[in-house]
Amino acid sequence: MRRFVVLSGGIGGARFLRGLRRAAPDAEITVIGNTGDDIHLFGLKVCPDLDTVMYTLGGGIHEEQGWGRAAETFTVKEELAAYGVGPEWFGLGDRDFATHIVRTQMIAAGYPLSAVTEALCKRWEPGVRLLPMTDDRVETHVLIDDGDGGRKAVHFQEYWVRLRAAVPAHAVIPVGAEQSAPAPGVLEAVAAADAVLFPPSNPVVSVGTILAVPGIREAIENAGVPVVGLSPIIGDAPVRGMADKVLAAVGVPATAAAVARHYGPGLLDGWLVDTVDEEAVKAVEADGIRCRAVPLLMTDLDATAAMAREALALAEEVAAP
Ligand code: GDP
Ligand code: CA
């Protein structure tokens, strides 16, 4: 196996990809990135998940934080705030601004997001082919209480970053997904893949949003190649972030087994859970998904590469007749 397709969100997906690149240095890796988190700020188009993958694999990421640029400064943000221009809750640094300026300029000149992403990657050389899930506008919205007994939809970033997912989410809606089409290269990459991998990314607002683009789920189900995922839930809680909140919104308990069932045996052939969730293996296999318990904490590159090797071994195993 040497051609892999990975459906990725931001931090979890990006870190896993570093391990996969290490585990399979000669592989051709196509990353289908979530763009449902994209937001327009200060007139600029910001693609947080694509950029997290690009910066992480290209060596420009703020390592501890997991997103944004290393050695970042915030002069532009401070100057904007001095004009009273917000939002102040979304951290855009000076270096990061340059990426969004280039992207917005190219889009205004008529380039689709896929072409823009390719151009940005010329600088970063991430060692994978990074494709947005779609060139169309898809925006994840979250339905929350409006404080007046009713409900209102807010942009995912407002729910996630400003509200820190601390208010109940009643629904997660990928606005525009139904009318969107996969970006050029996405379906071709799936058709040519030896295996499709779901990294430990958010099952609802990252992988789920990518699967909501008409044609992508069907292409993966019909490609006839092993589909293997790694649980982002360890010991009944997300490793970092607030994935449990959006899982609750779609009625899925925050357990490794429930997430596997949410994807379902029609989509998923293999599932890795952490060793602390050993007892989930039986339940997942009873659902018709091959399951193994292995260490799933991406503590360093070696540990992450070992996870990638386990995922590839499971893919080989489920592919065997
Ligand atoms: P986001 O777009 O930045 O939220 O990133 P993703 O969608 O790619 O992934 C976030 C998910 O990754 C969260 O649900 C975390 O629980 C999960 N995650 C982060 N670090 C680890 C890790 O070391 N191991 C595992 N198994 N999951 C992780
Ligand atoms: Ca994200």
Side-chain angles (χ1 to χ4, degrees):
M1 289 190 180
R2 57 174 300 274
R3 271 187 283 201
F4 305 116
V5 166
V6 181
L7 271 48
S8 178
I11 302 176
R15 288 190 172 159
F16 173 76
L17 283 162
R18 273 211 289 226
L20 179 62
R21 238 180 20 177
R22 161 71 72 91
D26 301 324
E28 235 173 73
I29 302 168
T30 301
V31 179
I32 304 176
N34 170 43
T35 58
D37 295 15
D38 293 5
I39 184 167
H40 284 80
L41 293 170
F42 314 109
L44 301 175
K45 183 171 173 68
V46 180
C47 301
D49 286 358
L50 293 179
D51 289 350
T52 296
V53 171
M54 186 172 78
Y55 293 156
T56 301
L57 297 180
I61 200 75
H62 186 303
E63 288 292 341
E64 295 71 39
Q65 197 170 253
W67 53 270
R69 292 291 312 278
E72 188 58 289
T73 53
F74 291 88
T75 306
V76 174
K77 194 181 179 208
E78 284 160 24
E79 290 294 315
L80 287 165
Y83 285 110
V85 174
E88 285 186 52
W89 49 265
F90 201 89
L92 284 188
D94 301 329
R95 293 176 188 277
D96 203 16
F97 258 111
T99 303
H100 313 315
I101 290 169
V102 174
R103 174 184 292 124
T104 306
Q105 202 174 3
M106 284 189 72
I107 284 175
Y111 291 95
L113 182 61
S114 50
V116 175
T117 306
E118 191 180 345
L120 294 171
C121 284
K122 287 226 165 75
R123 170 181 175 194
W124 290 103
E125 300 183 345
V128 300
R129 182 162 181 232
L130 177 60
L131 303 175
M133 64 189 197
T134 178
D135 279 335
D136 301 318
R137 185 162 169 175
V138 174
E139 221 169 68
T140 303
H141 287 199
V142 180
L143 197 62
I144 62 171
D145 294 325
D146 68 1
D148 263 331
R151 288 178 176 180
K152 64 173 180 181
V154 296
H155 190 287
F156 171 74
Q157 298 295 356
E158 185 169 352
Y159 168 76
W160 201 250
V161 181
R162 188 172 81 81
L163 300 171
R164 312 230 113 261
V167 300
H170 303 294
V172 178
I173 311 131
V175 179
E178 278 173 32
Q179 292 78 39
S180 71
V186 166
L187 298 183
E188 293 81 351
V190 171
D194 296 317
V196 176
L197 304 176
F198 296 176
S201 276
N202 191 305
V204 181
V205 293
S206 294
V207 180
T209 310
I210 299 168
L211 293 170
V213 176
I216 295 186
R217 174 189 283 268
E218 296 74 8
I220 294 172
E221 284 177 354
N222 299 330
V225 297
V227 180
V228 170
L230 300 91
S231 179
I233 304 292
I234 296 181
D236 301 344
V239 178
R240 57 181 280 168
M242 305 150 292
D244 50 323
K245 301 297 195 313
V246 283
L247 280 167
V250 298
V252 177
T255 69
V259 173
R261 173 173 283 184
H262 173 64
Y263 285 132
L267 183 64
L268 212 54
D269 302 301
W271 186 242
L272 293 178
V273 301
D274 189 79
T275 43
V276 305
D277 295 312
E278 182 103 52
E279 81 285 359
V281 171
K282 267 200 183 118
V284 174
E285 297 218 314
D287 281 339
I289 299 164
R290 198 82 64 95
C291 187
R292 298 284 174 269
V294 299
L296 285 190
L297 274 180
M298 298 188 282
T299 43
D300 57 29
L301 187 53
D302 285 342
T304 312
M307 285 166 54
R309 276 185 213 103
E310 293 286 359
L312 297 180
L314 188 55
E316 297 273 8
E317 195 185 313
V318 296

